[in-house]
Amino acid sequence: MTVPNAFFVPAGVGSEGHERVTATEHTVSLWAPTMQHGAPPSALLVRALERVDAREDTRISRVAVDILGPVPVGDIEIRSWTERPGANIELVVAELWADGTSGTARAVARGSAWRMRTTPTDDVAHSGDPVMRPVSDGVEYTFGGTWSSGYLDAVEFRTLTGLGEPGPGQVWARPRPVLVQGESMTPLERLFSIADIANGIGAKLPIDEWTFLNTDLTVHVFRVPQGDWIGVSAETSTGPDGIAMCAGTLSDERGPVGRIAQTVLVRRRS
C-alpha cells in the first residue's frame, strides 16, 4: 500500500470533539519501529498551538515540548487550550493523546507556547548568532545503516560537517512530506518538523555503541523562518552520569531564526 506523502492523515474527531490523526510510516523513529521520531509530533503540537484561539496580531515566540512517553505510530488525538489569556502575552497549551498498552488513553506529548502580540521593529532587527554557510555548500546525504528510519528517510539533507566531527554539527534539511495530508505547512510547522534532529546532528557518540534519546526540546523563535530549508547547527555536551544537553541554532537561508536546547538521556548499548 502506498504511504501518503504526509506525516499524518486526518482521522476524524474523537468522542469529545477532539481532532484525531493517524501517523504514517514517515514518522518512525530510529530508536524503535513502533515509536515516532520527536520532530513530527513536535510539529503537530505547534500546529495546535498556532490554531487555538488564534489571533492575527500574535505569533509564537517560545515552544517547550515534553515527550511524556513513546509516541506510537498510530492514532493520535490532539487537545489544546489557552492556559493564560492576555492582550499582549498569552500562554497556550496542547497535548497529544494515544492509547497505552492497557488500552487507556494517556497524554504522550505536551507543548506549551508563549504567544506575543507583534509590533514593527524592523529598524532595530539584529541576530546574535553566526550565519551558516549556504545550502549550495552542503553535500547531499542519505542516512543508512543504524541511522535509517522512516522519518530520516523522509527528509532531504545537505550536510556542512561530518557526523561526530569536532565542533557543532551543521546540516540543512527540508521535509519531503507535508505535516497533515491535504494541508500546506506553516513556517513554524516546517521549522518544528526538522528542529528535533539537533541532538542527532550534534552527537559525538557512535550510534552503534550508544543511544542518546532526547526527552524534550525548547525553541525560542525571534524571527519567523522563510523558505523550505531549515539549517541546524548543534552540539551535544555529555556529563559523567548519563545525562547530556544539546544546544544549537536554527536558521533559514536568510540567517538565524532561533535557538534550541534539549535534554538527552545517554546509554551504552548492551
Side-chain angles (χ1 to χ4, degrees):
M1 185 174 66
T2 302
V3 179
N5 190 34
F7 290 118
F8 302 96
V9 296
V13 295
S15 57
E16 297 182 13
H18 299 297
E19 181 185 12
R20 296 181 67 87
V21 296
T22 301
T24 71
E25 294 176 17
H26 296 311
T27 67
V28 174
S29 166
L30 61 85
W31 303 120
T34 57
M35 64 183 286
Q36 294 185 42
H37 187 281
S42 297
L44 194 62
L45 285 167
V46 166
R47 173 178 174 271
L49 293 169
E50 286 191 295
R51 292 182 175 200
V52 61
D53 299 328
R55 292 167 44 192
E56 291 186 359
D57 62 342
T58 66
R59 76 160 177 87
I60 287 172
S61 62
R62 186 231 62 183
V63 175
V65 172
D66 288 304
I67 307 299
L68 305 177
V71 183
V73 182
D75 291 340
I76 300 292
E77 185 172 278
I78 307 166
R79 305 181 184 185
S80 59
W81 63 93
T82 297
E83 182 78 11
R84 186 268 198 194
N88 291 300
I89 302 172
E90 54 190 7
L91 183 67
V92 289
V93 179
E95 291 181 342
L96 304 183
W97 283 62
D99 289 338
T101 54
S102 64
T104 303
R106 63 185 180 88
V108 292
R110 179 184 296 120
S112 64
W114 286 112
R115 273 196 328 212
M116 297 183 176
R117 187 167 65 87
T118 57
T119 189
T121 51
D122 306 67
D123 55 328
V124 292
H126 168 73
S127 169
D129 293 303
V131 176
M132 288 177 58
R133 286 186 288 140
V135 176
S136 58
D137 281 3
V139 176
E140 186 174 354
Y141 189 85
T142 301
F143 286 92
T146 310
W147 283 96
S148 184
S149 74
Y151 170 76
L152 292 178
D153 295 344
V155 176
E156 186 177 358
F157 292 94
R158 298 288 186 274
T159 58
L160 297 176
T161 63
L163 288 174
E165 289 183 357
Q170 294 193 334
V171 67
W172 288 98
R174 62 179 176 184
R176 293 186 178 96
V178 296
L179 181 60
V180 176
Q181 187 179 40
E183 298 180 7
S184 298
M185 286 174 131
T186 69
L188 288 185
E189 289 173 6
R190 182 175 296 278
L191 179 70
F192 279 81
S193 73
I194 295 297
D196 190 79
I197 69 172
N199 72 303
I201 298 303
K204 303 304 178 189
L205 299 172
I207 194 172
D208 292 331
E209 301 175 23
W210 298 87
T211 62
F212 32 90
L213 182 68
N214 66 293
T215 60
D216 59 20
L217 67 152
T218 301
V219 178
H220 293 261
V221 183
F222 71 88
R223 179 171 65 79
V224 176
Q226 300 179 18
D228 292 341
W229 289 97
I230 301 299
V232 179
S233 176
E235 185 167 6
T236 300
S237 300
T238 304
D241 57 358
I243 299 173
M245 178 202 70
C246 178
T249 301
L250 302 174
S251 300
D252 64 8
E253 292 187 81
R254 292 179 54 201
V257 299
R259 293 182 179 178
I260 181 171
Q262 298 167 289
T263 306
V264 183
L265 181 73
V266 176
R267 292 295 183 264
R268 193 185 303 270
R269 292 185 185 270
S270 57

